[in-house]
């Protein structure tokens, strides 16, 4: 499942990230968003969702939410 | 020899705030990534350095040494190439693991590092405890607690940094040397590094189980909701314009204008002497130089109130939420939420706004953003808006708000044109932006920002604008044979003859041929505030603020009568000057950021054509509705020819792209 379908306020673990964009992969990595790390969807709306990675909140769009697989 | 200290750290860790506290500068601060895009340096205040010469270098925020955007590569390049004597690594203590990743990379560079554990006050509130001696031991480098917003811990920080000069420490984490080409190995190595960091964090940080900061999340859910978020954004902007231009601003300006005019009449009386008449040079001084200056400086309170409010907004964390709601709209036209940062900075001044485009990774998106940023009404355009709002619309806050949203609408339209002409992007553009925690904005910081911008405004008024007013006044006083222009023969002056051809071009949306307006438009390219100065000089009006009190004649309607154009024409002329190309400084910045002649000239052409089209449409439609006349018969004809010409050129360009795609 991807973050797009993830339940809100539930702890998940990042499984894989498929953006086909090396820059954004590296960027996510530096935020602490990579395979095996915890992630949580705080809220979502039609355009995207707000996620908690480590101690920070980020707003991401739906394309990025679909590119992040979690378990 | 002075000691060079580089400040490095993640975006939004408080680097620039610390830089300002250390050096007494007032660089722009804002709590989203990308506020600082260039490195800046300045001497550290002596009271922190024990008398030594210490230079601090403020670098843009970086999440890690592998550059994600060019602002981050500035940091890595700077550290690698300029060998600073010491690095102060500002670590956001509320997000330790993310920050320490970068720290471990910095520690490997061989330059002594001091960690400034910043925002410890926020941690205290959250009851998070960090074992500092342990952290210092694990990192093998000194750690100093700081609160850069209130300048706490800075003395110790600098003395610790100075004491490290020339020392060498071993890095606690050494990445195994490896083949730089092997991407998987690099990722593995980075994961190992993160594991190392996570281990440190586990050992030094004691967190109270998080009391869900639900309130913050609830506010976020509302502010980023697409139905509620946009009206809230509109309301916020309306309040900013209302307070600065209709309520508080004019009230303050009124006080100031009274003093300024009293000063002007003192000078005039002194020069006139017993005769009570001013000779030609005294008149140039009193009406040209002083009068023009007063007209521009008179708007200072409005500009300062606006800067104060914008600084508050930037500081409290709202701006990144605003970019979240605008992202889906911008994405439809080929931009993304990333473009919003330049646009918002552009409301202060287009030059740093255009420079902020550097943080946009996609090349086409970056160029398009750079050419569209100047459409945001900047601080220099504010007095122009205020002038027309005052003279024609009774200081209504709607004029500014509407111009602001017309600016956004034009940006969206412009982006759509760029997209249609250059082809649809095939690459997905992902959007991610940090939502920093809300905090009550610093009034002191906002005051500082307001004062420094206000001072810059005064300096500009006293230099560039003063000279322009003087030249304009000379040019309108004399004709080509250097004789003083007589009463009733104003159109023979040097200024009138030079500006006349332009007056014919802009006549279709003013309804008259007014060389004064044309001259103002031209001097506006040197600095937009010049529009106010030039109109003041050409029409002999100095107080535009509270036109109802004008001693001259009988008020706003009188000034409108002096301008001799209709309300609709006033609005159209205002729109043309706001949405045509910006001042030369901003044009220079555009050229530097776009780095492509064709894109640059296309951008200038687009600014002219959109500005003209918007102004003419406002005038034409407005005049139809209000039932006025279009001036002389050739004016609407010329207007339609130019408008249709613009439409034709863009249609051809778009069709050409279609054909290219099909073929």
């Amino acid at each position: 499942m991807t973050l797009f379908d993830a339940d809100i306020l539930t702890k998940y673990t990042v499984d894989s990230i498929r953006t086909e964009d090396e820059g954004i992969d590296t960027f996510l990595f530096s935020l602490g968003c990579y395979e095996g790390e915890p992630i949580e969807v705080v809220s979502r709306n039609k355009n995207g969702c707000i996620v908690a990675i480590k101690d920070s909140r980020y707003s991401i769009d739906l394309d990025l939410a679909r590119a992040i697989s979690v378990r | 020899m002075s000691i060079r200290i580089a400040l490095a750290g993640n975006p939004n860790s408080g680097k620039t705030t610390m830089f300002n506290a250390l050096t007494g500068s007032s660089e722009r601060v804002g709590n989203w990534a990308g506020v600082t895009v260039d490195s800046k340096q300045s001497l550290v205040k002596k009271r922190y350095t024990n008398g030594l010469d210490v230079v601090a270098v403020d670098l843009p925020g970086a999440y890690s040494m592998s550059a994600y955007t060019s602002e981050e590569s500035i940091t890595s390049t700077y550290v690698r190439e300029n060998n600073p004597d010491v690095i102060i690594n500002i670590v956001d203590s509320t997000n330790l693991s993310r920050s320490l990743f970068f720290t471990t990379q910095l520690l490997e560079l061989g330059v002594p590092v001091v960690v400034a554990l910043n925002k410890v006050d926020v941690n205290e509130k959250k009851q998070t405890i960090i074992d500092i001696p342990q952290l210092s031991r694990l990192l093998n480098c000194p750690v100093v607690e700081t609160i850069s917003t209130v300048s706490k811990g800075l003395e110790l920080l600098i003395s610790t940094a100075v004491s490290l000069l020339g020392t060498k420490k071993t890095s606690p984490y050494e990445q195994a040397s490896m083949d730089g080409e092997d991407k998987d190995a690099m990722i593995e190595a980075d994961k190992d590094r993160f594991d190392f960091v996570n281990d440190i964090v586990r050992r030094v940080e004691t967190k109270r189980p998080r009391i869900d900061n639900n309130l913050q999340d609830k506010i976020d859910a509302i502010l980023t909701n697409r139905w509620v978020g946009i009206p809230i954004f509109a309301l916020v902007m309306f309040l900013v314009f209302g307070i600065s231009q209709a309520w508080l601003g004019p009230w303050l300006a009124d006080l100031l204008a009274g003093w300024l005019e009293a000063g002007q009449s003192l000078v005039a009386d002194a020069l006139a002497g017993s005769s009570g008449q001013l000779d030609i040079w005294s008149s140039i001084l009193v009406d040209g130089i002083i009068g023009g200056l007063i007209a521009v400086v008179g708007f200072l309170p409005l500009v300062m109130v606006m800067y104060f409010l914008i600084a508050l907004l930037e500081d409290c964390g709202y701006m990144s939420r605003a970019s979240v709601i605008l992202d889906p709209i911008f994405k439809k036209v080929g931009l993304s939420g990333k473009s919003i940062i330049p646009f918002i900075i552009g409301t202060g001044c287009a030059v740093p706004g255009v420079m902020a485009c550097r943080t946009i990774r996609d090349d086409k998106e970056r160029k398009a953003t750079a050419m569209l940023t100047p459409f945001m009404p900047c601080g220099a355009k504010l007095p122009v808006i205020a002038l027309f709002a005052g003279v024609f619309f009774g200081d209504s806050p709607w004029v500014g708000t509407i111009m602001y949203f017309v600016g956004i609408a034009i940006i969206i339209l412009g982006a759509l044109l760029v997209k249609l002409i250059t082809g649809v992007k095939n690459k997905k553009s992902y959007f991610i932006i940090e939502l920093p925690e809300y905090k009550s904005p610093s009034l002191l910081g906002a005051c500082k920002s307001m004062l420094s911008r206000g001072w810059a405004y005064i300096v500009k008024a006293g230099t560039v604008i003063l000279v322009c007013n003087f030249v304009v006044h000379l040019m309108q006083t004399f004709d080509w044979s250097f004789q003083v222009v007589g009463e009733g023969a104003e159109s023979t002056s040097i200024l009138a003859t030079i500006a006349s051809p332009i007056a014919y071009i802009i006549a279709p949306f003013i309804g008259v041929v007014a060389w004064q307006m044309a001259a103002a438009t031209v001097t506006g390219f040197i600095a937009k505030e010049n529009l106010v100065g030039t109109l003041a000089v050409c029409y002999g009006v100095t107080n535009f603020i509270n036109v109802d009190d004008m001693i001259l004649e009988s008020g706003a309607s009188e000034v409108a009568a002096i301008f001799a154009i209709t309300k609709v024409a006033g609005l159209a002329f205002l729109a043309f000057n706001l949405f045509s190309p910006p001042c030369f400084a901003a044009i220079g910045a555009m050229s530097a950021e776009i780095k492509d002649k064709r894109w640059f000239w296309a951008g200038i052409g687009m600014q002219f054509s959109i500005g003209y089209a918007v102004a003419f449409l406002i005038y034409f439609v407005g005049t139809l509705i209000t039932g006025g006349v279009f001036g002389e018969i050739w004016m609407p004809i010329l207007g339609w020819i130019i408008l249709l010409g613009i439409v034709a050129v863009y249609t051809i360009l778009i069709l050409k792209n279609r054909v290219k795609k099909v073929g």
Side-chain angles (χ1 to χ4, degrees):
Chain A
M1 140 174 80
T2 68
L3 277 186
F4 180 73
D5 310 300
D7 294 327
I8 64 166
L9 298 174
T10 311
K11 281 233 182 297
Y12 289 93
T13 305
V14 178
D15 209 17
S16 67
I17 295 173
R18 284 200 191 80
T19 59
E20 286 153 30
D21 178 340
E22 220 175 283
I24 199 103
D25 286 354
T26 324
F27 183 66
L28 287 170
F29 183 88
S30 69
L31 303 179
C33 174
Y34 58 93
E35 222 180 291
E37 288 297 305
I39 193 166
E40 189 179 324
V41 179
V42 179
S43 71
R44 65 149 50 84
N45 60 37
K46 280 200 92 153
N47 296 314
C49 51
I50 297 173
V51 295
I53 302 167
K54 304 232 171 213
D55 298 319
S56 293
R57 298 276 196 270
Y58 302 88
S59 171
I60 63 173
D61 60 2
L62 294 181
D63 284 333
L64 192 52
R66 282 196 195 95
I68 301 175
S69 303
V70 294
R71 60 184 133 84
Chain B
M1 259 292 285
S2 58
I3 303 161
R4 297 169 66 79
I5 297 183
L7 305 184
N10 286 168
N12 197 21
S13 60
K15 276 180 313 300
T16 303
T17 310
M18 183 168 297
F19 177 78
N20 288 345
L22 285 172
T23 62
S25 313
S26 46
E27 293 299 341
R28 185 184 190 85
V29 193
N31 64 353
W32 68 80
V35 177
T36 313
V37 286
D38 226 341
S39 59
K40 303 180 185 82
Q41 53 182 344
S42 188
L43 269 179
V44 175
K45 285 184 196 161
K46 287 279 187 282
R47 69 177 146 109
Y48 295 127
T49 65
N50 225 344
L52 290 166
D53 269 351
V54 178
V55 175
V57 184
D58 180 27
L59 299 174
Y63 284 109
S64 82
M65 297 290 275
S66 47
Y68 173 61
T69 60
S70 47
E71 56 163 5
E72 279 147 50
S73 69
I74 294 178
T75 309
S76 14
T77 315
Y78 180 86
V79 172
R80 285 202 190 99
E81 287 178 0
N82 292 332
N83 289 321
D85 295 308
V86 183
I87 297 173
I88 291 181
N89 174 212
I90 293 117
V91 164
D92 178 354
S93 62
T94 62
N95 201 333
L96 206 52
S97 57
R98 191 181 79 191
S99 311
L100 291 182
F101 187 80
F102 186 48
T103 308
T104 59
Q105 289 175 318
L106 286 174
L107 285 166
E108 279 177 38
L109 294 173
V111 178
V113 177
V114 188
V115 168
L117 197 59
N118 203 19
K119 303 191 190 176
V120 286
D121 51 333
V122 183
N123 255 1
E124 245 165 59
K125 256 182 234 156
K126 290 187 176 172
Q127 300 183 316
T128 304
I129 298 158
I130 294 174
D131 181 350
I132 291 174
Q134 172 82 329
L135 178 65
S136 170
R137 201 178 55 74
L138 291 172
L139 289 174
N140 195 24
C141 84
V143 177
V144 178
E145 282 186 295
T146 58
I147 309 172
S148 59
T149 48
V150 295
S151 304
K152 211 184 138 199
L154 300 188
E155 206 163 333
L156 181 62
L157 180 66
I158 295 294
S159 62
T160 313
V162 171
S163 73
L164 286 183
L165 276 181
T167 59
K168 262 217 162 329
K169 296 227 170 168
T170 45
S171 167
Y173 180 85
E174 286 287 349
Q175 189 166 313
S177 66
M178 58 163 142
D179 184 4
E181 299 288 299
D182 188 349
K183 208 186 134 213
D184 289 338
M186 296 279 274
I187 292 175
E188 280 313 310
D190 277 348
K191 279 183 187 163
D192 287 347
R193 185 188 294 275
F194 239 128
D195 287 342
F196 174 77
V197 168
N198 286 340
D199 184 53
I200 294 183
V201 174
R202 258 192 300 278
R203 287 162 71 174
V204 302
E205 189 180 63
T206 331
K207 263 198 174 157
R208 238 178 85 115
R210 200 175 79 201
I211 339 153
D212 266 304
N213 41 353
N214 257 328
L215 182 65
Q216 297 246 354
D217 291 336
K218 274 182 192 142
I219 299 174
D220 275 345
I222 296 169
L223 291 184
T224 61
N225 177 292
R226 73 170 171 168
W227 298 118
V228 192
I230 289 181
I232 291 178
F233 180 57
L235 180 72
V236 168
M237 292 324 297
F238 176 77
L239 287 177
V240 168
F241 279 102
I243 295 170
S244 64
Q245 294 194 26
W247 306 315
L248 182 61
W251 183 77
L252 293 172
D254 219 23
L255 291 177
L256 182 68
W259 299 333
L260 290 174
E261 281 182 341
Q264 187 191 20
S265 34
L266 274 182
V267 176
D269 291 345
L271 288 172
S274 52
S275 68
Q277 283 291 314
L278 289 178
D279 65 24
I280 191 75
W281 292 104
S282 305
S283 148
I284 287 178
L285 178 69
V286 173
D287 298 331
I289 300 181
I290 302 180
L293 188 66
I294 288 179
V296 177
V297 173
F299 287 102
L300 180 66
L302 278 68
V303 175
M304 285 174 72
V305 172
M306 167 106 166
Y307 282 143
F308 180 79
L309 296 172
I310 288 191
L312 287 186
L313 274 185
E314 286 176 349
D315 202 24
C316 72
Y318 177 66
M319 288 308 193
S320 41
R321 277 77 184 180
S323 49
V324 172
I325 44 163
L326 291 174
D327 172 63
I329 305 173
F330 282 152
K331 207 174 262 171
K332 287 204 178 83
V333 292
L335 301 176
S336 78
K338 272 259 172 196
S339 316
I340 292 158
I341 292 161
F343 296 154
I344 291 173
I345 295 180
T347 55
C349 173
V351 175
V354 170
M355 281 168 66
C357 297
R358 262 178 244 175
T359 59
I360 298 168
R361 292 169 55 242
D362 184 85
D363 188 54
K364 206 181 271 180
E365 193 182 324
R366 200 192 68 242
K367 288 176 184 160
T369 309
M371 72 162 75
L372 295 169
T373 299
F375 282 122
M376 285 318 278
C378 69
K381 291 172 181 170
L382 206 67
V384 186
I385 297 177
L387 187 161
F388 282 87
V391 170
F392 293 101
F393 300 97
D395 273 337
S396 161
W398 286 110
V399 180
T401 315
I402 287 173
M403 286 302 154
Y404 194 87
F405 280 89
V406 169
I408 296 180
I410 289 180
I411 284 173
I412 293 171
L413 172 79
L416 191 66
L417 280 177
V418 174
K419 184 179 157 182
L420 289 173
I421 292 170
T422 64
V424 182
K425 289 197 303 182
N426 36 20
K427 224 176 100 185
K428 266 188 191 167
S429 168
Y430 296 108
F431 178 63
I432 172 164
I433 191 165
E434 181 172 359
L435 301 178
E437 278 185 43
Y438 294 100
K439 60 170 186 163
S440 54
S442 146
L443 291 179
L444 185 70
C447 281
K448 275 189 187 163
S449 153
M450 172 184 80
L451 289 176
S452 77
R453 303 254 199 128
W455 178 242
Y457 185 89
I458 293 175
V459 168
K460 203 169 163 194
T463 53
V464 181
I465 293 164
L466 186 96
V467 171
C468 286
N469 287 342
F470 177 62
V471 171
V472 164
H473 198 84
L474 275 186
M475 285 168 75
Q476 78 159 1
T477 308
F478 295 101
D479 63 17
W480 287 99
S481 45
F482 300 104
Q483 298 300 310
V484 174
V485 174
E487 194 120 351
E490 285 84 2
S491 60
T492 61
S493 71
I494 298 178
L495 186 69
T497 41
I498 292 180
S500 285
I502 300 158
Y504 281 95
I505 298 173
I506 63 174
F509 58 77
I510 305 181
V512 286
V513 180
W515 57 266
Q516 295 92 335
M517 300 268 169
T521 297
V522 174
T523 57
F525 288 117
I526 299 169
K528 290 290 169 185
E529 298 95 331
N530 264 334
L531 271 150
V532 175
T534 303
L535 288 177
V537 171
C538 289
Y539 288 112
V541 187
T542 49
N543 181 358
F544 287 118
I545 302 286
N546 197 341
V547 275
D548 286 330
D549 287 357
M550 264 190 23
I551 327 140
L552 248 182
E553 270 140 293
S554 58
S557 55
E558 277 306 321
V559 181
I562 296 170
F563 284 175
I565 57 174
T566 61
K567 270 186 188 207
V568 174
L571 197 63
F573 181 67
L574 172 63
F576 178 72
N577 285 295
L578 295 183
F579 305 125
S580 56
C583 65
F584 289 131
I587 291 177
M590 269 173 65
S591 156
E593 290 308 318
I594 293 177
K595 295 190 191 83
D596 180 327
K597 280 230 155 66
R598 271 182 57 198
W599 273 81
F600 169 70
W601 287 110
I604 299 287
M606 183 152 107
Q607 288 162 349
F608 264 121
S609 36
I610 290 190
Y612 198 93
V614 169
F616 181 67
L617 285 174
I618 289 179
Y619 182 67
F620 195 82
V621 175
T623 307
L624 276 185
I625 294 170
T626 55
V629 282
F630 295 102
E632 287 168 58
I633 182 71
W634 60 268
M635 291 175 184
I637 296 175
L638 177 64
W640 277 110
I641 291 174
I642 294 179
L643 185 65
L644 292 176
I646 292 169
V647 173
V649 168
Y650 280 103
T651 316
I652 290 170
L653 286 172
I654 292 169
L655 288 178
K656 247 170 108 181
N657 176 56
R658 284 275 160 88
V659 172
K660 214 164 55 193
K661 258 202 319 214
V662 173

